[in-house]
Amino acid sequence: MQLGPIDVEFLLQILPLLLKGALLTVELTLLAIFFGTIIGLFVALAKISRFKMLAIIGGIYTWVIRGIPLLVQLYILYYGLPQVGIEFSAHTAAVVGLSVCGGAYIAEIIRAGIQSIDKGQMEAALSLGMSYAQAFRRVILPQAYRRLLPPMGNEFITLMKDSSLVSVITMTELLRQGKLLSNSTFRSMEIFLTVAVIYLLLTTIFIYVIGRLEKRLAISDGD
């Protein structure tokens, strides 16, 4: 069946392969947001630490990683490091690259969220006999997490779209799967339109889920 310039039967034939690539895209995004959040938390704590050296190291990390395009970082990880005896598989390089890059941005999100809490909250907790770690875990983080959720949701969507860059290191995610099909069938219009629609569906689903989560947290907090 023909729908304008689109051959629907051809689309149905290639759809399973594109969905397989989409699954890999989602997997990479989830892994990147998980490891990126861990990295970001430690870097954020370093940047607001009272120890100057930690703050400097955290600042250098975010400065360097945010100043170099993710594409260049992926090239260094996958094609550059083997020259000095360090080899990553394409999957590992993709996860490391996305996590390290995402971690720098997430660190800034967490740092801003924590610093938005009034300093008096920490001082009050410390005056009640809590340690710094206890005050941070019991007083600061519970207040900060709601402020972190919207920018973290944006970072999740950004990482999902940025995951298309790992196609340059042979990862067969959604975009590369589309390129391979295009090279073998010469049906670029149908293929890349479908790739675009799948990306749009994925981002729409996750935006909806994040929005619902924000509302649920607002209700649980009595807003």
Side-chain angles (χ1 to χ4, degrees), residues 50-155:
R50 290 172 290 183
F51 299 102
K52 196 170 183 180
M53 184 54 68
L54 286 178
I56 291 172
I57 293 171
I60 291 174
Y61 175 84
T62 52
W63 169 60
V64 171
I65 298 301
R66 292 199 302 167
I68 300 174
L70 174 59
L71 189 59
V72 178
Q73 295 176 39
L74 290 171
Y75 275 126
I76 293 171
L77 281 170
Y78 190 65
Y79 297 110
L81 287 183
Q83 195 174 331
V84 294
I86 302 172
E87 290 191 30
F88 289 132
S89 67
H91 187 273
T92 302
V95 172
V96 171
L98 289 169
S99 301
V100 168
C101 184
Y105 291 92
I106 292 171
E108 289 300 288
I109 293 170
I110 295 175
R111 180 192 59 75
I114 292 172
Q115 290 184 328
S116 70
I117 305 300
D118 185 65
K119 287 183 180 178
Q121 298 280 335
M122 174 61 82
E123 291 169 0
L126 293 176
S127 69
L128 290 173
M130 292 186 190
S131 67
Y132 186 84
Q134 286 175 327
F136 186 79
R137 190 176 71 253
R138 295 179 181 177
V139 178
I140 303 301
L141 272 185
Q143 296 183 72
Y145 76 95
R146 280 181 55 198
R147 301 181 188 186
L148 296 179
L149 194 54
M152 284 292 287
N154 288 335
E155 182 60 26

Side-chain angles (χ1 to χ4, degrees), residues 29 168 211:
T29 307
V168 300

Side-chain angles (χ1 to χ4, degrees), residues 17 23 31 43 49 62 67 73 120 127-128 142 167 186 188 192 208 220 223:
L17 286 173
L23 280 177
L31 288 171
V43 174
S49 169
T62 52
Q73 295 176 39
S127 69
L128 290 173
S167 63
F186 302 103
S188 300
F192 289 119
Y208 174 77
S220 65
D223 288 356

